[in-house]
Amino acid sequence: MQERIDLGPGRAIRHDGDPGRCAVLLPGQFYPTRAPALWFAREAAMSRGWGALEVLGEPGEHDDPLGWERECTDRALEANRGARQLIIGKSLATLLAGEIAERGLPAVWLTPLLNETDVIDGLSKTRHPTLLAGGDADPTWLVDRVPDNPAIEVLELPAVDHAVQVPGDVRASVDALARLVDGITRFVEDL
């Protein structure tokens, strides 16, 4: 069952699961939660009993994309107050890594912007399990910049770009998505 929620600046859908555990899905700038990597990340968490709250829309359609993402994130977390929460966010959402670390939440960051100092600083602060997943064909995936932090796990997908696909090779893209789902499923099981 699904329930639509008004977050103020945006909308969300709550998916059934354990009401005591909720994965909050955050879109990338032009990568909505209905796109494959986030869709199946949600499915991976839900397959392990978690509920999910998926923020709908694309931040890039707003005048202040990061401000919109931040406000939707704050309201989504408030909507799940009292539940154990896990953040699953793509690209632009990783600019909130420091704020998520300060809240003490575990996170799965898809295609983190490792070329951004704010993301690196935020990741260095985390003390809760954090999975970084990206591909070596993504120019923002600078894996050598990942902070030396025991809370961080890295899943590197060969030949995968920022859209979480292998350009020009549908089958390889599906295989990479399967590896991503396996990694997220294992990560969620260990929480």
Side-chain angles (χ1 to χ4, degrees), residues 75-169:
R75 291 184 182 212
L77 292 172
E78 181 65 25
N80 290 309
R81 191 176 24 172
R84 183 173 179 206
Q85 298 184 76
L86 161 68
I87 296 293
I88 302 175
K90 169 110 173 53
S91 191
L92 178 71
T94 66
L95 289 166
L96 303 176
E99 295 166 48
I100 297 306
E102 289 171 8
R103 291 176 183 252
L105 298 175
V108 174
W109 296 120
L110 307 177
T111 65
L113 300 177
L114 299 177
N115 59 334
E116 295 286 339
T117 302
D118 288 346
V119 173
I120 301 304
D121 292 345
L123 292 172
S124 68
K125 295 176 186 174
T126 191
R127 298 295 170 252
H128 289 79
T130 299
L131 175 64
L132 306 180
D136 62 8
D138 177 355
T140 70
W141 180 255
L142 304 175
V143 74
D144 58 322
R145 294 196 66 205
V146 173
D148 184 18
N149 181 336
I152 296 175
E153 177 183 343
V154 174
L155 173 60
E156 185 170 71
L157 302 168
V160 169
D161 67 10
H162 196 70
V164 193
Q165 60 189 40
V166 178
D169 191 335

